[in-house]
Amino acid sequence: MSQIQTSAKEVENTSMRNISTTRGNKRQAVGSPPVSPNAEDIVTRANIREIIEDVLKTELSRALSDFDDRMKVLLNKELQPINDKISGMEASLNFMNNQYEDLLKEHATSTEAVRELQKENSEMKTTMSSLKTRLEQLEQQTRSNNVEIQCLPEKKQENLFNIVSELSKTVGCSIENKDILHCTRVAKLNPEKNRPRSIIVQLASPRIRDQLLASVINFNKSNRDNKLNSMHLGFAGPKTSIYVTEHLSPTYKSLHASARLKAKELGYKFVWVRGGRIFMRKAEESEHIMVKNMDILKKLS
C-alpha cells in the first residue's frame, strides 16, 4: 500500500507542476473570449483521479495476485502431508473394500456350500434311518422260526432237545424231533445275575413256532394258579416259572423292555409280542398301540 501511495503522490506532483507552468506567463490574445481561470484545474483533477484509481486498481490487483500466489504456495506446502495421508487412507480404504468384497463372495459361497451339506446330511440321516429300520426288520426276520425259553433251570449234561420236546408235550403241542432244528443256551447279558441262561430253539417253520407259543398261552390261561414252571418238566427244587417267548433281536428286546417299564409307569395292563412286533394296551377295551421305536414310547401318556 505504501508503494501505491508513493506512486499516486508522484503522479499528482507531476501533474501539478505541469499545470502551473503551462502558459502561465503568456498574455491573452486580443479579442479572444475570456477563459475561466479554474477550467483547466477541474479537468486536470478529474484526470488525476482516474489515473490514481487506475494505479490503485493495478497495484491492488498485483498485490492481491502476489498474495494469492504466496497463499497457494503456503497452503500447498502445509496441506501436502495431509493430502499424502488422505491418499494413503484412500488406498487403505480401497484395499479394505476389496478385501471386504472378497469376504462377502467367500461367505456367500460358504453359505451355499453349508446349505448343500445340510441338505445332503438331512437326506443321509433319512436314508440311514430307513436302512437301520430295514436292517433291524431283516435281523428280526432271521429269528422268525425261533422261540426263547427263559428261566429254565440249568443242570449238567442236560439234553435240550428232550427238554423242548417235554415242554411241548406239557403244553399240548405235538412237536417231532425233526421240527427242532437247533437248541442252545446263550450267554447272559449281565453275568452277575443268578438267572439261568436262556435257551434259543430254532424250529422248522414260523407256523410251528406260532403253534408252540399259542399252546403255552392257552396252557397258562387254563392253569392260572399253576402256570408253566420247572416242576412240570420234572426239575427238583423250588418251583420256578418258565416263560416261552418269541426270539427278539437285541434292538427289539431292548425296546420290549422299555415298553414294559413304560407300561408299569403309566398303568398299561398289557404288553405283548406278536410276529416280532411289540404291542401295548392300556385296558381291555382300549385300542392297541404298536411300538415301533422309542419315540412312540416317549409320546405315550
Side-chain angles (χ1 to χ4, degrees):
M1 293 299 295
S2 60
Q3 293 178 357
I4 296 173
Q5 293 175 356
T6 302
S7 299
K9 289 180 180 180
E10 290 177 355
V11 172
E12 184 177 4
N13 292 333
T14 303
S15 301
M16 292 299 294
R17 286 198 299 272
N18 291 337
I19 292 172
S20 62
T21 57
T22 302
R23 302 179 66 89
N25 298 323
K26 292 183 180 181
R27 291 183 296 176
Q28 184 174 357
V30 178
S32 61
V35 180
S36 176
N38 296 325
E40 290 183 359
D41 291 343
I42 295 172
V43 173
T44 302
R45 287 175 181 173
N47 292 338
I48 290 172
R49 188 180 292 110
E50 292 178 358
I51 292 171
I52 291 173
E53 290 176 354
D54 291 341
V55 172
L56 289 174
K57 288 180 180 179
T58 302
E59 292 299 325
L60 183 60
S61 176
R62 185 188 307 161
L64 290 174
S65 177
D66 291 342
F67 179 76
D68 185 54
D69 292 340
R70 290 177 183 176
M71 288 300 296
K72 286 182 179 178
V73 173
L74 181 60
L75 288 174
N76 287 335
K77 182 179 179 181
E78 294 296 329
L79 294 176
Q80 186 61 39
I82 298 177
N83 290 333
D84 294 340
K85 289 182 180 181
I86 292 175
S87 298
M89 291 176 65
E90 288 180 351
S92 298
L93 288 174
N94 289 333
F95 175 77
M96 293 176 65
N97 183 64
N98 292 334
Q99 292 291 101
Y100 179 70
E101 293 293 335
D102 292 339
L103 286 174
L104 285 179
K105 292 178 182 178
E106 291 180 3
H107 177 69
T109 303
S110 300
T111 301
E112 184 63 25
V114 170
R115 189 179 294 111
E116 290 295 326
L117 289 174
Q118 288 176 339
K119 182 180 178 182
E120 291 179 3
N121 186 48
S122 178
E123 293 175 351
M124 288 181 63
K125 284 184 177 179
T126 302
T127 302
M128 289 294 294
S129 177
S130 177
L131 289 175
K132 181 181 178 182
T133 301
R134 292 175 60 185
L135 180 62
E136 290 171 351
Q137 290 174 349
L138 289 173
E139 187 178 9
Q140 183 58 44
Q141 286 179 4
T142 61
R143 293 166 167 78
S144 60
N145 293 2
N146 300 355
V147 294
E148 181 175 351
I149 303 174
Q150 301 173 353
C151 300
L152 183 69
E154 296 186 49
K155 61 182 180 180
K156 295 181 179 180
Q157 298 180 351
E158 60 186 2
N159 188 325
L160 295 179
F161 282 88
N162 292 338
I163 292 174
V164 172
S165 178
E166 184 65 26
L167 186 149
S168 65
K169 292 178 181 178
T170 300
V171 298
C173 179
S174 178
I175 294 180
E176 300 180 3
N177 289 336
K178 65 177 182 179
D179 295 328
I180 304 173
L181 302 182
H182 184 67
C183 291
T184 185
R185 286 190 183 268
V186 294
K188 293 185 288 187
L189 295 177
N190 188 355
E192 296 181 359
K193 288 187 176 182
N194 295 325
R195 183 175 178 175
R197 292 178 297 165
S198 296
I199 300 173
I200 303 301
V201 182
Q202 183 181 11
L203 300 171
S205 67
R207 181 181 59 82
I208 298 175
R209 180 206 64 177
D210 292 341
Q211 288 178 355
L212 177 59
L213 291 172
S215 298
V216 172
I217 293 173
N218 291 331
F219 178 86
N220 288 333
K221 286 182 178 180
S222 302
N223 301 273
R224 294 183 181 275
D225 297 330
N226 190 27
K227 293 182 179 180
L228 184 64
N229 57 73
S230 57
M231 297 185 66
H232 289 126
L233 302 181
F235 284 85
K239 183 172 67 174
T240 304
S241 296
I242 297 174
Y243 305 95
V244 182
T245 65
E246 294 187 23
H247 182 207
L248 298 177
S249 66
T251 299
Y252 282 94
K253 185 173 290 188
S254 175
L255 184 61
H256 184 221
S258 298
R260 292 200 306 270
L261 291 175
K262 194 70 173 181
K264 185 177 181 181
E265 175 186 344
L266 299 178
Y268 279 65
K269 291 185 177 181
F270 305 101
V271 179
W272 72 97
V273 178
R274 180 69 58 81
R277 294 176 296 178
I278 302 166
F279 298 90
M280 297 177 63
R281 179 179 286 153
K282 195 164 190 176
E284 293 183 0
E285 65 278 4
S286 302
E287 184 69 22
H288 71 269
I289 299 171
M290 185 169 69
V291 182
K292 295 181 179 180
N293 47 53
M294 292 296 296
D295 292 336
I296 293 177
L297 289 178
K298 293 177 182 179
K299 295 177 181 178
L300 292 178
S301 58

